[in-house]
Amino acid sequence: MLRQFHRAKPLQAAKLTAIVLTLLYSTGVYLRIVPSERITTLFLVPLMALLLALVVTGEALYAGYRAARTDGHLTATLTADLGYTIVRAVELGTAVAAVAGVAAVVASIPTGPMSGPGAIGLFLVLVGLGVLVLLGGLLRTLTELSVTRGSDRTDERRPGSFS
């Protein structure tokens, strides 16, 4: 069934793979299960979250464009599957909130040299916002996986289905 998910939703499958690998690797480094002495592994979560936020924003803009071009009412399109719409809104909301949070944090940085504890606090805020985006994306991709698995089960029960 996972193979059908990769074929049916390749972007969601790639997002799910990237999120799970990022979270597993970062957790392994944090718990010292995965030996890593590189400081660049500290920036993996914020970097992946930024890339995910860009993808989510692009998806939302494209979905909004497609919804606006349909003949039906926009509210009917959004309320057709309310749970799925809420999950997509949560994913987009976490991405936008994290980007706004990063912008607010960067704007509040004082000029001049920063002390060590201040830099560590700044980094922890960025990691926290990154984890927020990754968890929002994980929620959406797992929802897509369950929807795809549910539609595969109904296709298998349909008489005359050869897939």
Side-chain angles (χ1 to χ4, degrees):
M1 283 183 239
L2 197 56
R3 205 171 287 143
Q4 286 89 1
F5 180 62
H6 287 285
R7 289 184 187 135
K9 307 275 186 177
L11 179 63
Q12 299 305 318
K15 283 173 34 180
L16 178 63
T17 304
I19 292 169
V20 168
L21 289 177
T22 300
L23 290 175
L24 285 176
Y25 182 73
S26 298
T27 304
V29 169
Y30 177 74
L31 296 176
R32 297 181 190 252
I33 297 170
V34 177
S36 178
E37 298 295 325
R38 297 183 182 167
I39 196 159
T40 55
T41 57
L42 295 174
F43 299 108
L44 181 63
V45 170
L47 180 65
M48 285 302 296
L50 173 66
L51 293 175
L52 184 63
L54 290 173
V55 169
V56 168
T57 305
E59 274 184 307
L61 289 173
Y62 182 67
Y65 171 75
R66 279 191 5 220
R69 295 203 27 114
T70 60
D71 292 334
H73 293 285
L74 185 59
T75 56
T77 304
L78 291 176
T79 58
D81 189 5
L82 190 60
Y84 181 72
T85 302
I86 290 171
V87 168
R88 284 193 76 157
V90 166
E91 183 191 34
L92 180 62
T94 58
V96 170
V99 170
V102 168
V105 165
V106 169
S108 69
I109 295 175
T111 58
M114 183 179 285
S115 65
I120 291 171
L122 177 67
F123 174 72
L124 290 177
V125 168
L126 293 178
V127 169
L129 291 172
V131 169
L132 179 71
V133 171
L134 292 177
L135 291 178
L138 186 63
L139 175 69
R140 160 93 187 282
T141 56
L142 290 177
T143 302
E144 289 278 354
L145 179 63
S146 69
V147 167
T148 303
R149 289 179 79 185
S151 67
D152 287 344
R153 287 188 189 130
T154 57
D155 288 344
E156 290 172 0
R157 294 183 197 146
R158 188 178 309 139
S161 175
F162 295 108
S163 53

